[in-house]
Amino acid sequence: MNWIETLNPDKQNESMLGFNYYGRSIIGINGASKFNKLMKAWYLMFNEAPEEIILTGRYTWIEDEGQQSMGEYEKLIFCRKEILDLLSRLIEFSTMVETGEYLMIYSGI
């Protein structure tokens, strides 16, 4: 999401695009509108998904005793209702930030 304007509190609230991977990022009024639109689009997309949503995660390695390495992608399984509830809250929060009275803080992974 490198097109969402955020602030970096670890660098005197320097304006940036996207989110810090490990550090904090702040969504203010300037980034809230795009973030809100994106969350609404994701909501519409996931609303059409089956009840159980299976997404592809990270590639992981499996080491066996014969020193051969194999890998596979993680399968991430989610309940559609849980995703939609989370997206609804993010939409609500970003709508509040759009008023200019609030900020949204992302804490990294």
Side-chain angles (χ1 to χ4, degrees):
M1 292 196 285
N2 287 335
W3 56 89
I4 306 292
E5 188 175 336
T6 59
L7 302 172
N8 186 344
D10 298 324
K11 293 188 177 181
Q12 290 85 31
N13 288 332
E14 175 183 295
S15 182
M16 58 185 255
L17 293 174
F19 296 88
N20 286 318
Y21 196 69
Y22 293 108
R24 297 172 298 156
S25 300
I26 298 172
I27 299 175
I29 193 169
N30 293 337
S33 178
K34 278 189 183 178
F35 185 79
N36 191 306
K37 289 176 188 174
L38 183 59
M39 294 303 105
K40 287 178 179 177
W42 284 3
Y43 186 95
L44 292 172
M45 180 183 67
F46 281 109
N47 195 43
E48 298 300 321
E51 290 295 322
E52 182 180 81
I53 299 172
I54 302 172
L55 300 175
T56 301
R58 295 179 292 169
Y59 194 80
T60 58
W61 292 97
I62 303 166
E63 306 249 349
D64 66 13
E65 293 177 18
Q67 299 300 326
Q68 293 179 329
S69 297
M70 296 178 52
E72 64 184 16
Y73 285 99
E74 293 177 306
K75 288 187 173 142
L76 307 172
I77 301 171
F78 299 95
C79 172
R80 180 180 69 192
K81 183 183 180 328
E82 290 175 9
I83 291 176
L84 293 177
D85 289 346
L86 175 61
L87 290 170
S88 290
R89 289 198 325 259
L90 289 170
I91 291 166
E92 181 181 338
F93 293 153
S94 59
T95 300
M96 293 169 63
V97 172
E98 284 181 305
T99 68
E101 296 181 37
Y102 300 92
L103 298 171
M104 190 181 310
I105 301 173
Y106 169 77
S107 297
I109 58 169

